[in-house]
Amino acid sequence: METIPATFWMVIISALTALVCLILYYVAMLVKETTGTMVEVKNTIIDSRKLIQNSNAIVEDVRVSVDSIKGTVKEVNQSILGPVKAIAKLMNSIFG
């Protein structure tokens, strides 16, 4: 009983080999899942870029419409408020 039998060493080495193989298997599955996820993320990013470009175009259209409406409101204010202010000045000078 002074030496350890060869069977014991074979069991230890085979257990260590099995553990290393299991770790390598899990690493391979992790890499496989990661690549699949990256493909999905890439497709999602491409779709979101298209949506952002479309939304930018819509925002630009809205901005042009708002600018047009602002111009119309300014013209209406000038055409309505100008005579009202003139009448107010006249009334103020007469009654004031």
Side-chain angles (χ1 to χ4, degrees), residues 37-91:
T37 303
M38 291 305 292
V39 168
E40 291 175 7
V41 167
K42 184 178 178 182
N43 291 336
T44 304
I45 289 174
I46 290 170
D47 291 342
S48 64
R49 283 183 183 164
K50 290 176 185 175
L51 288 174
I52 289 171
Q53 289 173 350
N54 290 339
S55 64
N56 285 340
I58 291 171
V59 167
E60 189 60 34
D61 290 343
V62 168
R63 188 172 292 138
V64 168
S65 298
V66 167
D67 289 341
S68 172
I69 292 171
K70 279 183 182 179
T72 304
V73 168
K74 284 181 182 178
E75 289 178 13
V76 168
N77 279 343
Q78 289 175 354
S79 65
I80 292 176
L81 290 179
V84 169
K85 285 182 181 179
I87 293 171
K89 284 182 184 178
L90 179 66
M91 299 292 266

Side-chain angles (χ1 to χ4, degrees), residues 4 23 25 27-28 41 47 59 69 94:
I4 300 174
I23 290 171
Y25 172 76
V27 168
V41 167
D47 291 342
V59 167
I69 292 171
I94 293 174

Side-chain angles (χ1 to χ4, degrees), residues 2-51:
E2 292 181 16
T3 62
I4 300 174
T7 309
F8 174 77
W9 289 114
M10 284 192 288
V11 168
I12 294 294
I13 296 297
S14 62
L16 289 175
T17 304
L19 286 175
V20 168
C21 289
L22 189 63
I23 290 171
L24 290 175
Y25 172 76
Y26 284 130
V27 168
M29 289 298 110
L30 179 66
V31 168
K32 180 181 175 185
E33 288 293 322
T34 304
T35 54
T37 303
M38 291 305 292
V39 168
E40 291 175 7
V41 167
K42 184 178 178 182
N43 291 336
T44 304
I45 289 174
I46 290 170
D47 291 342
S48 64
R49 283 183 183 164
K50 290 176 185 175
L51 288 174

